[in-house]
Amino acid sequence: MFKKTRENIRAVMEKDPAARNGLEVFLCCPGVWALMWHTPAHWCYCHNLKLIGRIISQLTRWVTGIEIHPGAKIGRRCFIDHGMAVIIGETTEIGDDCTIYQGVTLGGTGKDTGKRHPTIRDRVMVSSGAKVLGPIEIGNDVKIGAGAVVLRNVPDGCTVVGIPGTVVRHYGRPTGEMDQLDMPDPVAVELECLRRRVVELEQLIVREFGQEAVNRCNQDCRYDEIVKEINEQVYEERHAGHDCSSCGDTDCALRDVDLLMEQFKQNEQEENTEN
């Protein structure tokens, strides 16, 4: 227990810029105390002294605000920053050199028995308020964004954001940088992509059928601003060169605008011929 506590204190000194010295960390860091008392609680739990293990974990929870089930397996040099409202379930497994921020839940789903909590591999950073649920596996060097809800396995070296959690980056910035801000927003990117394609579609309709064929919406839709971005190719610069009109993503339903207009004109000609 004392060896692991010394390692945890050194981990806090390396990762927390507010930590000034080891004594201050030992006395004032609730994460260190929660992990320190988890060691005897886990020993009791594994030696059929489950009630004593639960009592130790509950006392630790009252003092630190961090609830770690005595059955959880936690590796070395784990850093629980602030720690309030952190919940770690019974069958959770956490590797070495991981970082967990306040409000994180490593929990289960439903009333399943057996392995029902996540497995967190080495050097994983779980940001504030994130929820990792179920018997899933989070690979090495994974970064989970603040507020994310992760329900599926995550490969090594990925960044996950959103609800439900979506992989937005493979082997990006290392988790050791402790950066919780530089996280892409896949929903915002997709909405901007669709908005841009709608504007392009309107321009195409105007060229083919005239201005009267388009009912222009109010200024809140940012039409003029989007047209300017398209003409100056600002969108491509801001989103790492991604362009819906030229990408190979088959899920982008609005990328084949020209084909859509050809089908529209063909159907119109067939209707005129029949009439």
Side-chain angles (χ1 to χ4, degrees), residues 157-208:
C158 292
T159 299
V160 181
V161 300
I163 304 174
T166 303
V167 175
V168 295
R169 183 182 293 161
H170 293 271
Y171 289 99
R173 301 176 67 178
T175 56
E177 294 185 5
M178 313 290 290
D179 181 15
Q180 298 186 75
L181 298 178
D182 184 22
M183 299 282 188
D185 186 347
V187 177
V189 172
E190 184 68 17
L191 288 176
E192 186 67 22
C193 181
L194 293 176
R195 195 195 312 247
R196 179 176 182 271
R197 299 305 291 151
V198 169
V199 172
E200 291 181 342
L201 180 59
E202 287 187 357
Q203 290 178 325
L204 185 58
I205 292 175
V206 169
R207 290 200 302 268
E208 295 292 335

Coordinates of all heavy atoms in Angstrom, one line a residue, residues 157-208:
G157 N -5.2 4.3 -29.1 CA -4.8 5.6 -29.7 C -5.9 6.4 -30.2 O -5.6 7.3 -31.0
C158 N -7.1 6.2 -29.8 CA -8.2 7.0 -30.3 C -8.7 8.1 -29.4 O -8.4 8.1 -28.2 CB -9.4 6.1 -30.6 SG -9.1 4.9 -32.0
T159 N -9.3 9.1 -30.0 CA -10.0 10.1 -29.2 C -11.5 10.0 -29.4 O -12.0 9.9 -30.5 CB -9.6 11.6 -29.7 OG1 -8.2 11.7 -29.5 CG2 -10.3 12.6 -28.9
V160 N -12.3 10.0 -28.3 CA -13.7 9.7 -28.4 C -14.4 10.9 -27.8 O -14.1 11.4 -26.7 CB -14.1 8.4 -27.6 CG1 -15.6 8.2 -27.6 CG2 -13.3 7.2 -28.1
V161 N -15.5 11.4 -28.5 CA -16.3 12.5 -27.9 C -17.7 12.2 -28.3 O -18.1 11.4 -29.1 CB -15.9 13.9 -28.6 CG1 -14.5 14.2 -28.3 CG2 -16.1 13.9 -30.1
G162 N -18.7 12.9 -27.6 CA -20.1 12.9 -28.0 C -20.9 11.9 -27.2 O -20.4 11.1 -26.4
I163 N -22.2 11.9 -27.5 CA -23.2 11.0 -27.0 C -24.0 10.5 -28.1 O -24.8 11.2 -28.8 CB -24.1 11.8 -26.0 CG1 -23.3 12.4 -24.9 CG2 -25.2 10.8 -25.4 CD1 -24.2 13.3 -23.9
P164 N -23.9 9.2 -28.4 CA -23.0 8.2 -27.8 C -21.6 8.5 -28.3 O -21.4 9.2 -29.3 CB -23.5 6.9 -28.3 CG -24.2 7.2 -29.6 CD -24.8 8.5 -29.4
G165 N -20.6 8.0 -27.6 CA -19.2 8.2 -27.9 C -18.8 7.9 -29.4 O -19.2 6.8 -29.8
T166 N -18.2 8.8 -30.1 CA -17.8 8.6 -31.5 C -16.3 8.8 -31.6 O -15.7 9.8 -31.0 CB -18.5 9.6 -32.4 OG1 -19.9 9.4 -32.2 CG2 -18.1 9.3 -33.8
V167 N -15.6 7.9 -32.2 CA -14.2 8.0 -32.5 C -13.9 9.1 -33.5 O -14.4 9.0 -34.6 CB -13.5 6.7 -32.9 CG1 -12.1 6.9 -33.3 CG2 -13.7 5.7 -31.8
V168 N -13.2 10.2 -33.2 CA -13.0 11.3 -34.1 C -11.6 11.5 -34.4 O -11.2 12.3 -35.3 CB -13.5 12.6 -33.4 CG1 -15.0 12.6 -33.3 CG2 -12.8 12.9 -32.1
R169 N -10.7 10.7 -33.8 CA -9.3 10.9 -34.1 C -8.5 9.6 -33.8 O -8.8 9.0 -32.8 CB -8.7 12.1 -33.4 CG -7.2 12.4 -33.7 CD -6.7 13.5 -32.8 NE -7.4 14.8 -33.1 CZ -7.4 15.8 -32.3 NH1 -6.9 15.7 -31.1 NH2 -8.0 16.9 -32.7
H170 N -7.6 9.2 -34.7 CA -6.8 8.0 -34.4 C -5.3 8.5 -34.3 O -4.8 9.2 -35.1 CB -6.8 7.0 -35.6 CG -8.1 6.4 -35.8 ND1 -8.5 5.2 -35.1 CD2 -9.2 6.8 -36.5 CE1 -9.7 4.9 -35.5 NE2 -10.2 5.8 -36.3
Y171 N -4.7 8.1 -33.1 CA -3.4 8.5 -32.8 C -3.1 10.0 -33.0 O -2.3 10.4 -33.8 CB -2.4 7.7 -33.7 CG -2.3 6.3 -33.2 CD1 -3.1 5.3 -33.9 CD2 -1.6 5.9 -32.1 CE1 -3.1 4.0 -33.4 CE2 -1.6 4.6 -31.6 CZ -2.3 3.6 -32.3 OH -2.3 2.3 -31.9
G172 N -3.9 10.8 -32.3 CA -3.7 12.2 -32.3 C -2.7 12.7 -31.3 O -1.7 12.1 -31.1
R173 N -3.1 13.7 -30.5 CA -2.1 14.2 -29.5 C -2.1 13.2 -28.3 O -3.1 12.6 -27.9 CB -2.6 15.6 -29.0 CG -2.7 16.6 -30.1 CD -3.2 17.9 -29.7 NE -2.3 18.6 -28.7 CZ -2.5 19.8 -28.2 NH1 -3.6 20.4 -28.5 NH2 -1.6 20.3 -27.4
P174 N -0.9 13.0 -27.7 CA -0.8 12.0 -26.7 C -1.6 12.4 -25.4 O -1.7 13.6 -25.1 CB 0.7 12.0 -26.4 CG 1.2 13.3 -26.9 CD 0.4 13.7 -28.0
T175 N -2.0 11.4 -24.7 CA -2.8 11.7 -23.5 C -2.0 12.3 -22.4 O -2.5 13.0 -21.5 CB -3.4 10.3 -22.9 OG1 -2.3 9.4 -22.7 CG2 -4.4 9.7 -23.9
G176 N -0.7 12.2 -22.5 CA 0.2 12.8 -21.5 C 0.1 14.3 -21.5 O 0.5 15.0 -20.5
E177 N -0.4 14.9 -22.6 CA -0.5 16.4 -22.6 C -1.7 16.9 -21.8 O -1.8 18.1 -21.5 CB -0.7 16.8 -24.1 CG 0.5 16.6 -24.9 CD 0.4 17.2 -26.3 OE1 -0.7 17.8 -26.5 OE2 1.3 16.9 -27.1
M178 N -2.5 16.0 -21.3 CA -3.6 16.4 -20.4 C -4.6 17.4 -21.0 O -5.1 18.2 -20.3 CB -3.1 16.9 -19.1 CG -2.0 16.0 -18.4 SD -2.6 14.5 -17.9 CE -3.6 15.0 -16.5
D179 N -4.7 17.4 -22.3 CA -5.5 18.4 -23.0 C -7.0 17.9 -23.1 O -7.2 16.9 -23.8 CB -4.9 18.7 -24.4 CG -5.7 19.8 -25.1 OD1 -6.5 20.5 -24.5 OD2 -5.6 19.9 -26.4
Q180 N -7.9 18.7 -22.5 CA -9.3 18.4 -22.6 C -10.1 19.3 -23.5 O -11.3 19.2 -23.7 CB -10.0 18.4 -21.2 CG -9.4 17.4 -20.2 CD -10.2 17.5 -18.9 OE1 -11.3 17.0 -18.8 NE2 -9.6 18.1 -17.9
L181 N -9.4 20.2 -24.1 CA -10.1 21.2 -25.0 C -10.0 21.0 -26.5 O -10.9 21.2 -27.2 CB -9.5 22.6 -24.7 CG -9.6 23.1 -23.2 CD1 -9.0 24.5 -23.1 CD2 -11.1 23.2 -22.8
D182 N -8.9 20.4 -26.9 CA -8.7 20.2 -28.3 C -9.4 18.9 -28.8 O -8.7 17.9 -29.1 CB -7.2 20.2 -28.7 CG -6.9 20.1 -30.2 OD1 -7.8 20.4 -30.9 OD2 -5.8 19.6 -30.5
M183 N -10.7 19.0 -28.8 CA -11.5 17.8 -29.1 C -12.4 18.2 -30.3 O -13.2 19.1 -30.2 CB -12.4 17.4 -28.0 CG -11.6 17.0 -26.7 SD -10.9 15.3 -26.9 CE -10.2 15.1 -25.3
P184 N -12.3 17.5 -31.4 CA -13.2 17.8 -32.5 C -14.7 17.5 -32.1 O -15.0 16.7 -31.3 CB -12.8 16.8 -33.6 CG -11.4 16.3 -33.2 CD -11.4 16.4 -31.7
D185 N -15.6 18.2 -32.8 CA -17.0 18.0 -32.6 C -17.6 17.4 -33.8 O -17.9 18.1 -34.8 CB -17.7 19.3 -32.2 CG -19.2 19.2 -31.8 OD1 -19.7 18.0 -32.1 OD2 -19.8 20.1 -31.3
P186 N -17.9 16.1 -33.9 CA -18.4 15.4 -35.1 C -19.8 15.9 -35.5 O -20.1 16.0 -36.7 CB -18.4 13.9 -34.8 CG -18.4 13.9 -33.3 CD -17.7 15.1 -32.8
V187 N -20.6 16.3 -34.5 CA -22.0 16.7 -34.8 C -21.9 18.1 -35.5 O -22.6 18.3 -36.5 CB -22.8 16.8 -33.5 CG1 -24.2 17.3 -33.8 CG2 -22.9 15.4 -32.9
A188 N -21.1 19.0 -35.0 CA -21.0 20.3 -35.6 C -20.4 20.2 -37.0 O -20.8 21.0 -37.9 CB -20.1 21.2 -34.7
V189 N -19.4 19.4 -37.2 CA -18.8 19.2 -38.5 C -19.9 18.7 -39.5 O -20.0 19.2 -40.6 CB -17.6 18.3 -38.5 CG1 -17.1 18.0 -39.9 CG2 -16.5 18.9 -37.7
E190 N -20.6 17.7 -39.1 CA -21.7 17.1 -40.0 C -22.8 18.1 -40.3 O -23.2 18.3 -41.4 CB -22.3 15.9 -39.3 CG -23.3 15.2 -40.2 CD -22.6 14.5 -41.4 OE1 -21.4 14.3 -41.4 OE2 -23.4 14.2 -42.3
L191 N -23.2 18.9 -39.3 CA -24.2 19.9 -39.5 C -23.7 21.0 -40.5 O -24.4 21.5 -41.4 CB -24.7 20.6 -38.2 CG -25.5 19.7 -37.3 CD1 -25.8 20.4 -36.0 CD2 -26.8 19.3 -38.0
E192 N -22.5 21.4 -40.3 CA -21.9 22.4 -41.2 C -21.8 21.9 -42.6 O -22.0 22.6 -43.6 CB -20.5 22.9 -40.7 CG -19.9 24.0 -41.5 CD -20.7 25.3 -41.3 OE1 -21.4 25.4 -40.3 OE2 -20.5 26.2 -42.2
C193 N -21.4 20.6 -42.7 CA -21.3 19.9 -44.0 C -22.7 19.9 -44.7 O -22.8 20.3 -45.9 CB -20.8 18.5 -43.8 SG -20.6 17.6 -45.3
L194 N -23.7 19.5 -44.0 CA -25.1 19.5 -44.6 C -25.6 20.9 -44.9 O -26.2 21.1 -46.0 CB -26.0 18.8 -43.6 CG -25.8 17.4 -43.3 CD1 -26.8 16.9 -42.2 CD2 -26.0 16.5 -44.6
R195 N -25.3 21.9 -44.1 CA -25.7 23.3 -44.3 C -25.0 23.8 -45.6 O -25.7 24.4 -46.5 CB -25.3 24.1 -43.2 CG -26.0 25.5 -43.2 CD -25.4 26.4 -42.2 NE -25.1 25.9 -40.9 CZ -25.8 26.3 -39.8 NH1 -26.7 27.2 -39.8 NH2 -25.5 25.7 -38.6
R196 N -23.8 23.4 -45.8 CA -23.0 23.9 -47.0 C -23.6 23.2 -48.2 O -23.7 23.9 -49.3 CB -21.6 23.5 -46.8 CG -20.7 23.8 -48.0 CD -19.2 23.5 -47.6 NE -18.3 23.9 -48.7 CZ -18.0 23.1 -49.7 NH1 -18.5 21.9 -49.8 NH2 -17.2 23.4 -50.6
R197 N -24.0 22.0 -48.1 CA -24.5 21.3 -49.3 C -25.9 21.8 -49.7 O -26.3 21.9 -50.9 CB -24.6 19.8 -49.1 CG -23.3 19.1 -48.8 CD -22.3 19.4 -49.9 NE -22.6 18.7 -51.1 CZ -22.4 19.1 -52.3 NH1 -21.7 20.3 -52.5 NH2 -22.7 18.4 -53.4
V198 N -26.7 22.2 -48.7 CA -28.0 22.8 -49.0 C -27.8 24.2 -49.7 O -28.5 24.4 -50.7 CB -28.8 23.1 -47.7 CG1 -30.0 23.9 -47.9 CG2 -29.2 21.7 -47.1
V199 N -26.8 25.0 -49.3 CA -26.6 26.2 -50.0 C -26.1 25.9 -51.4 O -26.6 26.6 -52.4 CB -25.5 27.0 -49.3 CG1 -25.1 28.2 -50.1 CG2 -26.0 27.5 -47.9
E200 N -25.3 25.0 -51.7 CA -24.8 24.6 -53.0 C -26.0 24.1 -53.9 O -26.1 24.4 -55.0 CB -23.7 23.5 -52.9 CG -22.4 24.0 -52.4 CD -21.4 23.0 -52.4 OE1 -21.7 21.8 -52.4 OE2 -20.2 23.3 -52.2
L201 N -26.9 23.4 -53.2 CA -28.1 22.9 -53.9 C -29.0 24.1 -54.4 O -29.5 24.1 -55.5 CB -28.9 21.9 -53.1 CG -30.1 21.3 -53.6 CD1 -29.8 20.6 -54.9 CD2 -30.8 20.4 -52.6
E202 N -29.1 25.0 -53.5 CA -29.9 26.2 -53.8 C -29.3 27.0 -55.0 O -30.0 27.5 -55.9 CB -30.1 27.1 -52.6 CG -31.0 26.6 -51.5 CD -31.3 27.6 -50.4 OE1 -30.6 28.7 -50.5 OE2 -32.1 27.3 -49.5
Q203 N -28.0 27.1 -54.9 CA -27.3 27.8 -56.0 C -27.5 27.1 -57.4 O -27.7 27.7 -58.4 CB -25.8 27.9 -55.7 CG -25.5 28.9 -54.6 CD -24.0 29.0 -54.3 OE1 -23.3 28.0 -54.4 NE2 -23.5 30.1 -53.9
L204 N -27.5 25.8 -57.3 CA -27.7 25.0 -58.5 C -29.1 25.1 -59.0 O -29.3 25.2 -60.3 CB -27.3 23.5 -58.2 CG -27.4 22.5 -59.4 CD1 -26.4 23.0 -60.5 CD2 -27.0 21.1 -58.9
I205 N -30.1 25.1 -58.1 CA -31.4 25.3 -58.6 C -31.6 26.7 -59.2 O -32.4 26.8 -60.2 CB -32.4 25.1 -57.4 CG1 -32.4 23.7 -56.9 CG2 -33.8 25.5 -57.7 CD1 -33.2 23.4 -55.7
V206 N -31.0 27.7 -58.6 CA -31.1 29.1 -59.2 C -30.6 29.1 -60.6 O -31.1 29.7 -61.5 CB -30.4 30.1 -58.3 CG1 -30.3 31.4 -59.0 CG2 -31.2 30.2 -57.0
R207 N -29.4 28.4 -60.8 CA -28.8 28.4 -62.2 C -29.7 27.7 -63.2 O -29.7 28.1 -64.3 CB -27.4 27.7 -62.1 CG -26.4 28.6 -61.4 CD -25.0 28.1 -61.8 NE -24.7 26.7 -61.4 CZ -24.2 26.2 -60.3 NH1 -23.9 27.1 -59.3 NH2 -24.1 25.0 -60.1
E208 N -30.4 26.6 -62.7 CA -31.1 25.8 -63.6 C -32.6 26.4 -63.9 O -33.1 26.3 -65.0 CB -31.2 24.4 -63.1 CG -29.9 23.6 -63.1 CD -29.4 23.4 -64.5 OE1 -30.2 23.3 -65.4 OE2 -28.1 23.2 -64.6

